[in-house]
Amino acid sequence: MNIDETTTDGTDPSDNDQGTQWKAVSGLLRAEIGEAAYQSWLKPMTLRAISDGQVKISVPTRFMRDWIVAHYVDRLCQLWAKENPDIKSVDVFIQSDREAPQTVSKKSAGSEAASASGSSNGVTAGKTRIDISGPLDQRFTFENFIVGKPNEFAYAAARRVAEASTAQFNPLFLYGGVGLGKTHLMHAIAWHIQKSTPDRSVIYLSAEKFMYRFIRALREKNTVDFKDQFRSVDVLMIDDVQFISGKDSTQEEFFHTFNSLVDQGRQIVISSDKSPSDLEGMEERLISRLNCGLVADIHATTYELRLGILQSKAEHLGVKIPPKVLEFLAHKITANVRELEGGLNRVVAHAQLVGREISLEATQDVLHDLLRANDRRVTIEEIQKRVAAHFNIRTSDMHSARRARSVARPRQVAMYLAKQLTARSLPEIGRKFGGRDHTTVMHAVKKVDELRELDTSFAEDVELLRRMLEG
Ligand code: ADP
Ligand code: MG
């Protein structure tokens, strides 16, 4: 974060309160996005001028400009408007260090401007829904989504919903851990429909926004309008629905909206970080309705998928990255795709800033904090959660006394994997599975080994789980 003291229009950003505003705004954003992102993106920005309600900021590279425009400019603008209500937009342009600051003016050669207007809500789906649908990320299209084993089912289901003119599986319930592409797929559905059949109306909203709007409607006593808005839509997508579990009146409203849309044959798409059955604090009747459609699980990434994603992102960024570096990242950053992307971006940004080629050494250096966080061993709790999700049972069934095959078998698989993947002893593992005896664990290990021999699809399941857990 810098302040240019010699802007062309005669105003000195540091001598009035412009510099103070910039400090305040970047301080707030720094707190929101964290230190690493601050160092990579905010720090290299220079405030050049504020005039006619527009903040002008320069950055050293095109890559940074694009990244900041895609990720931070809207937020910058919002924060700035709070500091100074006159601010309407933020303009980010490229200026290399070699250029003298005097050449900077809005239309000067050598600087490319891209701006985001503060009042705009971003891109919105469905022509008539501008007031209600959330913004869509330009990059979240089907074309940009890399398909691999862990997500091929969810991808195929999402595509089907996007391409069909009538409701398919209702609802399509996408679930998976954070950063695995749920939001990406939902936006992709919206983009696709918007392009191919613009007359269909689509609403994409986070569950949080849904709740917020609902509460506001209650307060302003226009719940009828609220209901109408939702109930006349062709495709309704609610992201992160786990957010409304436990929030009774919102759930109730959601349930009614949901039912009336389903009854009219409208498509609903929902995402959550838990399976319908694992949504605690959700009403049974809502859970059973959610379970009625198609539940598509996005599994943890595999090495192959991570490498594919990295290759595609590197290509998009237009930078040359040695295959060794990509392989290293795919191997090391296993938590989710968001972290993987973040890692790649940091490496690229760093290389561009210091003007050096990307190397394995530099990568290790730049990402040491991230790599440390990913360098931990899998826990029994994670194994239980993952296996339960895979077999669509509750995580609590890992500890329960239930002996039905539908829960006993997954429990045995989890015990088997706990033995394979952790350094825990049999008695320790037994204790973590509802205080079972070590002989039970031994039996489970033997049983799973036997079944793997007999049943290839079972063996593949176990292998898949093992690979997912190992990362
Ligand atoms: P979620 O909503 O599940 O938490 P997101 O959809 O926000 O995750 O994905 C996190 C980031 O990872 C996004 O930038 C998204 O574009 C990217 N991403 C996730 N899965 C894929 C994939 N299969 N191919 C390309 N990018 C992906
Ligand atoms: Mg999401």
Side-chain angles (χ1 to χ4, degrees), residues 140 144-146 151 179-184 313 337-338 341:
F140 291 3
N144 288 343
F145 192 81
I146 308 300
N151 59 25
L180 295 182
K182 301 183 295 292
T183 299
H184 189 135
K313 304 267 169 197
V337 184
R338 189 172 297 138
E341 276 187 337

Side-chain angles (χ1 to χ4, degrees), residues 72-86:
Y72 300 123
V73 120
D74 285 334
R75 188 61 189 145
L76 263 178
C77 194
Q78 283 170 355
L79 290 171
W80 216 307
K82 275 190 200 144
E83 287 294 313
N84 176 355
D86 296 337

